[in-house]
Amino acid sequence: MSISLSRVHLRVRGFHLDGYGHVNNARYLEFMEEGRWAFFDEHPALISELHEAGRAFVVVNLNIDYRAAAGHGDDLIVLTGIVDVGERSAICHHRIYRDDGVLIAQADLTFVLLDMQANKAATIEGSVSNALKGLILTKDQFSV
């Protein structure tokens, strides 16, 4: 597994379920958020550099493709990584698999780099751009 690909294991609990006994669609957002936190925990120098520069990653778009239902007691694997970096935004990809290899959901999340003092999007450049581009994966690499 690439160091650019974060892997988080989660168990579906009763409070994750909707009235039909499936994981509620909003919970997948939380599962993916857990994946992003783990990803950035694994790259602390990048986050430190952003904080020192008064910058932060901010989500501006999320597109989720729900592929199969997950239910109580299922063990899930959340894969998270960067698939594209542009001048003003980047794309973080997520895939959630059940431990039997079934793809449950996948998503592309677009984020910008926010200048916290000016409260507006900043150009992704210099060492931050280089660091993010060094983490880029293809979506083919997101498999269990």
Side-chain angles (χ1 to χ4, degrees):
M1 180 177 75
S2 167
I3 62 164
S4 301
L5 185 64
S6 174
R7 181 181 297 255
V8 172
H9 296 268
L10 300 167
R11 175 158 293 162
V12 175
R13 306 292 182 186
F15 65 89
H16 294 135
L17 306 179
D18 60 18
Y20 301 106
H22 303 122
V23 172
N24 181 285
N25 64 348
R27 293 296 182 163
Y28 289 105
L29 299 173
E30 294 172 359
F31 296 166
M32 292 176 198
E33 177 103 5
E34 185 71 32
R36 284 191 305 282
W37 276 94
F39 179 85
F40 288 115
D41 282 350
E42 293 168 12
H43 300 93
L46 176 60
I47 297 304
S48 291
E49 185 175 333
L50 287 176
H51 287 239
E52 288 172 18
R55 304 281 195 264
F57 291 127
V58 177
V59 175
V60 294
N61 185 276
L62 176 63
N63 294 300
I64 301 176
D65 180 19
Y66 300 100
R67 304 295 300 267
H72 186 262
D74 284 347
D75 289 313
L76 304 179
I77 303 161
V78 181
L79 302 177
T80 303
I82 303 296
V83 294
D84 187 44
V85 177
E87 290 181 19
R88 310 252 333 144
S89 64
I91 299 174
C92 179
H93 185 69
H94 296 280
R95 287 205 183 157
I96 300 175
Y97 289 93
R98 199 168 45 222
D99 66 349
D100 63 2
V102 171
L103 178 62
I104 301 298
Q106 60 185 356
D108 285 324
L109 178 143
T110 304
F111 63 87
V112 298
L113 190 61
L114 179 72
D115 178 327
M116 293 171 28
Q117 186 173 7
N119 198 31
K120 65 180 188 176
T123 303
I124 300 173
E125 59 190 2
S127 59
V128 172
S129 176
N130 292 338
L132 287 172
K133 287 179 179 177
L135 297 172
I136 291 177
L137 300 168
T138 66
K139 290 183 182 179
D140 293 341
Q141 293 175 280
F142 287 73
S143 61
V144 291

